Every structure is written in C-alpha cells, then in structure tokens.
Amino acid sequence: MTLSVDLSHRFGDFALDVTFEAGSGVTALFGRSGAGKSTIVNAVAGLLRPDRADITLGSTVFNDMRTCLPPHKRRIGYVFQDARLFPHLSVAQNLDYAARFGAKSKTRSHVIELLGLGALLSRRPATLSGGERQRVALGRALLAEPELLLMDEPLAALDGPRKSEILPYLDRLKSETGVPILYVSHAVDEVARLADTMVLLEGGRVARAGPLFDVMADPAAVPLLGVREAGAVMRAHVQAHGDDGLSTLRLAAGTLNLLGVHAPVGSEIRLRVLAQDVLLSLEMPTGLSAQNILPVTIKAIRSGGGHGAAISLDANGDALLARVTARAVTSMGLHEGQSLFAIIKATSVAQNAISGDTTLAFSPGP
C-alpha cells in the first residue's frame, strides 16, 4: 500500500511545499528542526488541515479539494515522542483500550510477544523506563489495526542505553507486521538502521528522495546530513566469526573484517560506513594496519563550499562514500571513472551503525 503526499501550507514566513510517496517498509522524513517533518505527519494524520493537499493511502482519499477525512476514520496509528500513555491505567489496560478499536485478526498476545511486553502488563506508566513506555505506545498503536503507522521522533527523548533497548524492537516491527511506517527523525543513525526509503527535507522542500542506500551515498546529500554524519549504508552477509574477535563480512566487492559482530553466520546485515572513515589510495596499499581494502571506481565528485570534497564510489555495485580534502582531489588527480582502492579501519564501524535480522552489536574497539 502506497501513501501519496502532495501538500502545501504556510505558517507566517515559513512555506511548506512537498510531494513524495511512501511505499512498504519504513519511509524516513529527515531534516533539521523546522524543516517541516512534524507538519507533514500531522497533515497525514488529519490533525492539521493544510492550505492545499492531495493525500491518499492506497484507494482511500485523506485529503483533496473536496475531502478532509477526520482523524478517527483514517486507520492510522500515531506514536509520539512522549508516548502519551494513560497514566491511571496499567500497561494491560492501555493495550486493551486500543484493542477495542482494532480488528480481531491481530491478537493481543502476538503484539505483546513482538514487543516484549509480557513482564510489564501489571505496571503503571510512571514505573516504566522511557524505552518501555515507547514499546507500550507501539503496542497500543498496533492493536488499533492501523493501515499506516506514523512515528514522530519516537526515540528523541531517550538516552543512549534506552535507545539501544528499543531499536531491536523497531527492527522486528518493520520486518514482522507489514504495516507501512512514516518515520520522522533528525538522527542519522536511526534512519540508516531502519529506513527503506528516505525523504530529505530542507526549508519546507524535498531536497532528495529515494531508496535509502542511494540517498545516503549521494554526495549532494552531505550538507543536509552533516559532514560528520554522512556515510553510505551497505548490505553484507556474515561469513565467519574469528577467535580474535574479528568477524568476516562478505560484500559484493570483497570482504570486511570488523570487530564485535554478534549476528549469526549466514545472516544479512546492514552497516553504515562514515565518509570520514574511508581512505583512498591510487595503488593497492601494503604494510598497513588496516586490513579492509576494497577496489572501487569513482562515480562522482562534489566539492563543497569549504576545503573538502565528497566522493561517490562504486564498490562492484555497492555504494560507498568518502570525504577528502580538496587538496587531495588535486594532488591525486581524482576524476570520475577512475579506479582506485578504499581503505576502512576495522574499528571505524560503531554499535549504532548496524542492523540485521537479530539483536546485533558492533564494538568500536580500543
């Protein structure tokens, strides 16, 4: 089922004018504060009536020139940043309240198992951690049998440990429920881990949109993502775990050896390699401590307004991104179509840069 959004709205001096589509899986709306992310999801939910809108979910018209479907008829689940549970009800009662509005096909027990809520059922929201409250909020939204799930900065209020606690549940939610998700965030690590499609917003406009792997590896997206956060997302298969703590991952262009991968052998994972952690060499390097060396071809070079350049690389069909100085581009004679080698340190991929079919972790090393 596809969500189609075409809307414009004005708040004082700020004008929002966006068009995009969100298909199955997770579509992430990403942008700085004030880019228009929450306004979009509120319009989709029916909590805001835009100045102009054509919004449809499959064959259901939410908004057009004649229609503005009320929120309770949109079959949407909405998970807010602050959970918004009923404080006077137990977890079980919060879930049961939502289940009254849902169909019978999705059982309460399945949602409880999916989100690991069994041990929490008798507790009140005030006794839960932030991550536990968000899991209950997710369960409540799912039990209403939504056709679309909206998540507006659901992890923004959580600290690092609580965020790590809930991310595996979001992975399961994405893979097991089949409910399309529109996910709002300004955290690149969350988007890289969860999203299938990415919509980059800047100043109320869509700056880039498309499959996550393409958008993240686009040099033009670096200013929007931030130079320290920019980096490509790659798929890899776990080939082996060594006694020395290094795991061997198979990519299209070769192998990577990384620390602390706990996914089972044979599973597929995704990892984000920051552009600033990729080194380039004109020749096959020798005598390096870094053992991860991949043959690549330069697809595009984009120079920023400063002294750096973002370089899009083709690693036998996988996209990789490198950030180097403008001086390096000149001194190495870098140009589109050139073949060279990309070097990635085994300790450069951190814990929040990985996701897969199970609970995974990367150790950043010493």
Side-chain angles (χ1 to χ4, degrees), residues 28-32 35 37 183-188 191 198-202 224-226:
L29 298 180
F30 180 90
R32 299 182 178 92
K37 306 183 297 296
Y183 190 95
V184 171
S185 180
H186 63 268
V188 181
V191 171
M198 191 172 189
V199 179
L200 283 178
L201 298 170
E202 183 179 32
L224 303 175
L225 296 170

Side-chain angles (χ1 to χ4, degrees), residues 82-91 94 120-134 136:
D82 54 354
R84 302 193 186 183
L85 303 176
F86 298 118
H88 62 293
L89 300 181
S90 68
V91 168
N94 268 277
L120 308 178
L121 294 177
S122 63
R123 293 167 59 181
R124 295 285 181 92
T127 69
L128 304 177
S129 71
E132 289 169 340
R133 284 194 293 271
Q134 287 300 79
V136 176

Side-chain angles (χ1 to χ4, degrees), residues 88-109:
H88 62 293
L89 300 181
S90 68
V91 168
Q93 291 167 328
N94 268 277
L95 296 176
D96 290 341
Y97 180 86
R100 295 189 303 167
F101 302 96
K104 300 297 184 183
S105 59
K106 188 180 295 295
T107 66
R108 182 177 181 271
S109 60

